[in-house]
Amino acid sequence: MRAVIVKKECIGCGLCTDICPTVFKMSKKAYAEVYVDEVSQEDRNEAMEAKENCPASAIKLED
């Protein structure tokens, strides 16, 4: 599974980094970024939770 942040939709709230810090981080411009190529099996539930809770719906998960 891959995670993608749609940058034009991201509002930089940081919720995804709080929920799943092993996949998401905040950039220097205060927007979320994905910093792994592939979401590990261990991080899938947290990545899905981050997607579901993103207030801007800026997170996409692709198989």
Side-chain angles (χ1 to χ4, degrees):
M1 170 190 297
R2 289 188 62 233
V4 177
I5 299 286
V6 180
K7 292 187 185 223
K8 65 181 181 182
E9 294 177 13
C10 180
I11 60 172
C13 73
L15 185 62
C16 59
T17 61
D18 291 340
I19 294 172
C20 191
T22 55
V23 174
F24 304 102
K25 68 177 179 177
M26 296 304 289
S27 72
K28 292 180 181 178
K29 294 185 179 186
Y31 292 102
E33 293 181 333
V34 177
Y35 67 99
V36 296
D37 292 328
E38 196 71 26
V39 177
S40 71
Q41 193 68 31
E42 298 84 27
D43 294 329
R44 285 178 181 235
N45 288 339
E46 288 84 6
M48 284 189 240
E49 182 181 346
K51 176 188 183 289
E52 291 168 3
N53 288 289
C54 177
S57 299
I59 300 172
K60 309 296 179 211
L61 298 175
E62 304 169 345
D63 284 321

